[in-house]
Amino acid sequence: MDKSLQVMAMYLLTHIGLIFFLYPTDIIGSLSVGHWSAILLGFACHIAVIGLFTKGLSYAAPKSVIDIFLETGKMAAVLLLLPVLLYFLMILIITVRAYSEIITLVFLANMPLWAIMALLLAVSTYISALGIESMFRTGLLVAVLFLPFLFLVFCLSFQNVDWRYIFPLMDEQAASFSYVFSRSYLLSMFAFTGGFMFLGFIPPYVPYNWRKVMWTASLLLPVFLISTYVPLLTFGQNTASQFQFPFIMAIDTVNVTWLMFDRVTMFFMISLICFVVLFLSLIIWKTTELIRRGIPSVHPIRAKLVLAVAIFVVCLYIPDWKHVEELLWWNTFPRLYVMTVIPIATLVLGIRHHRKGVACP
Amino acid sequence: MDLLEYLQTRQKQDADLFLHRMVLIDHTVTLAGYTSLIDLPQTMMLLQQQYQNAIAADQPLIALGNGMGECLNDADEPAVVSAMSEGNLIILHELSGYCMKITPVHRTLSRSIEAPSTENVVRGSISAFNEDLDTNIGIVKTHVMSDKLRMHSYWFGKVQRRRAMLLFMEGQTNPAFLDAVTRRVESRLDRDIPNLLALSKALGFPKWTLVTRYNTTELPENVASALGAGKVVLFLDRFPFAMILPSLMMDMFVEENDRNYPLFFLIAFRLLRIVGVLVNMLMPGLYVALVSVNPDVLRIELALSIARSRVDVPYPAIIETLLLLVTLELILEASIRLPKTIGPTITMVGGIILGQAVVQAKLVSNILIIILAATTIASFTVIGFHNAISIRISKYLLLILSAVYGVLGLFVGIVVVCAYLASVSTFGIPYLYHWKARDQSDG
């Protein structure tokens, strides 16, 4: 049974959860004019990566990326997937820590950090313990409940926009792509490549049509554009670059007279954090899946609990936001690996598998 | 005559058991059965009539067994007793030891078909199931006049026997699902089913659950549509409702009776029910979150007015809300037990006197009264009382999370509830599944 709808919903939610907090800051920081070129370049990378990845997977369907890699031999699979495991662990730590920090910064200022981290981890571990299929159904339900609301906020966010800020469209820096190796641009890539790996882990459990997922990816382009351009058009480049979370500041300026709530932002942010919880549970599931394939005797639910506790302890040892940023930067290297090596390896191995299958059916 | 002696000793312990001697075509036979289940004079008249016919046709007594009942050759005592407790009449021929099981004229033990008592119908058929299994099946048969309707009959239990019927439509039901259900039922026939919890356990559903895995309905109309959609329906004797398997989330919002209205109203009703559920789950949590953790979210005028109404309230918002919520739950619980004549009094006492007094005593704020009244009413917009209960329970989780984490806790609570609902499944059919009959494509 094709479950593309669930996969599409999960794909949208996990990406939207990642985009709105740090991504606009990084893009606005990486260049001062012609942000669209940076967004489009990143988006093109995103499409290329998931295109290669899903194509490779479709050749070997319904095998997961772990199975495909295991065909080359256990050693090679371990070598290929070990950085991925490291990447997942880092993402888990960074996401839990960073989003708890964001929550305390923007609201809940009196709440201790550990309590928020405990909530995020407990809920995402619970969701991942329910199993991958429940997780995807949850994603669909959450999407039905929250996406209309987000759509409303997107529409409202254009309230204070001054379209003249869109100019100039281009300068030398944007045209020459010289920003590509700047630190903040590389950091911004996390929004494009943070979530795609799940597409490779789910095929044995949640079959989907990869073309439909590619179409869903195109829905993300306006979201990326909105996340950067709304703050830019509201405040202008110079002001927007001063804010820690420019998009959230931009929505904070929106005033809806007919609503009983003063800060629509808060509901918006919290919905995004709920998406991040789903994202976290997905990564916890992927990580335990990797561990379980490496050491089959591990009990999945116990592994999840141990993992959650370990992440919690590590997160407690990260003292401040500066260290989080440092960790984010370190994570760029495994991310580049995951972005480039994994899709290409999947495609090559997928084609090989396909040929073998055709040669001796 | 072992059997007769056995029955005679049994009669001493069992006052309900009758042993009646009568003469049928020169043979003396003993009739045995339960007086509470059998209308003896009518049955004897029936027997006499049958045997008059037998004499006319010049047939021996034994041959009549083929026409009237079932022979219990070499029947052991438990088999005879269980046949009697199922409401049959036993005829014992003293000389030959011949034993026959006959369907007698039963006493009328069930009420006539009435209107439903927990599910009201405004527009549509208002006959409801009653306790008697055969009547229920009859009602279903009149609603589903189809040659595809299939039924399996089972007897559950060893100590307390209870009859059950499993109904489905041939070719409409998902075969894997049907197979799983029948196999499970057939493997658990030795269990006693005194209540629905025992039935859940026998069907292998977890005991600790917030969502019942079968939908109960009193309305034949709902059963007919469920059967048509390829679901499986289970009837238990002495339960005045049908259990529809599997239970799905949409059953909370979608009812067959909606289709008796124009399409626009149908959509509006369903949306209203969804809003009802959301209001019920979110409102108390939202109030606590906004009052005690995130007051900055509210528009300043509203925040001030809430603050003003809470000026003299001595406790934190969570205690205030719990206090009133528990009171409301008590009233609800009590009103189920109360005789109908006292109901209006309680409404007055609960609604006017208690509500007014509690505000004047400054125990809770005005706004909370409004919110909780709306919440309680909204919880009953969903279809089925069992669904209303699960909705009522889940708001407490959101309430506690909101008290600790504010609006964040509320939203994360929604995700947790969604995840819980997503994890529920009935014989492999997820609760969130969009059900379609088998001849349509699976969605």
Side-chain angles (χ1 to χ4, degrees), chain A residues 53-236:
Chain A
F53 193 54
T54 48
K55 190 77 193 159
L57 285 168
S58 69
Y59 276 127
K63 287 194 164 177
S64 76
V65 72
I66 308 177
D67 293 321
I68 298 174
F69 284 11
L70 275 176
E71 278 180 9
T72 57
K74 194 147 189 173
M75 209 53 218
V78 169
L79 281 180
L80 272 171
L81 289 174
L82 211 55
V84 179
L85 182 68
L86 175 78
Y87 172 66
F88 284 159
L89 287 173
M90 278 187 84
I91 289 195
L92 279 172
I93 294 166
I94 295 168
T95 317
V96 170
R97 185 61 177 75
Y99 279 83
S100 317
E101 186 94 20
I102 290 172
I103 291 168
T104 47
L105 279 180
V106 187
F107 52 95
L108 286 183
N110 303 324
M111 185 66 69
L113 211 53
W114 64 263
I116 295 169
M117 291 193 298
L119 177 77
L120 291 183
L121 271 171
V123 172
S124 44
T125 313
Y126 169 71
I127 296 173
S128 76
L130 293 176
I132 182 73
E133 286 162 47
S134 305
M135 225 144 81
F136 274 81
R137 288 197 288 269
T138 313
L140 195 61
L141 200 58
V142 169
V144 169
L145 282 176
F146 289 8
L147 281 184
F149 178 68
L150 287 194
F151 185 72
L152 177 76
V153 173
F154 288 155
C155 296
L156 289 176
S157 65
F158 283 90
Q159 198 185 42
N160 295 323
V161 156
D162 182 351
W163 288 99
R164 279 167 297 183
Y165 280 128
I166 209 164
F167 300 109
L169 282 174
M170 195 75 161
D171 73 348
E172 207 172 300
Q173 194 197 5
S176 63
F177 296 111
S178 58
Y179 55 83
V180 169
F181 294 106
S182 73
R183 181 169 164 146
S184 40
Y185 187 71
L186 285 175
L187 276 176
S188 80
M189 293 303 275
F190 85 94
F192 291 112
T193 54
F196 83 97
M197 275 296 281
F198 81 88
L199 294 173
F201 281 74
I202 55 169
Y205 311 97
V206 187
Y208 63 92
N209 181 344
W210 64 277
R211 283 196 185 81
K212 287 187 186 164
V213 174
M214 294 293 278
W215 280 112
T216 320
S218 64
L219 283 181
L220 280 180
L221 182 61
V223 179
F224 279 113
L225 287 170
I226 286 174
S227 76
T228 312
Y229 270 93
V230 165
L232 274 180
L233 296 181
T234 311
F235 303 115

Side-chain angles (χ1 to χ4, degrees), chain B residues 292-310:
Chain B
S292 61
V293 188
N294 303 110
D296 50 324
V297 182
L298 279 177
R299 195 161 277 280
I300 187 73
E301 301 87 347
L302 196 62
L304 282 177
S305 111
I306 291 180
R308 215 176 301 129
S309 85
R310 291 197 74 240

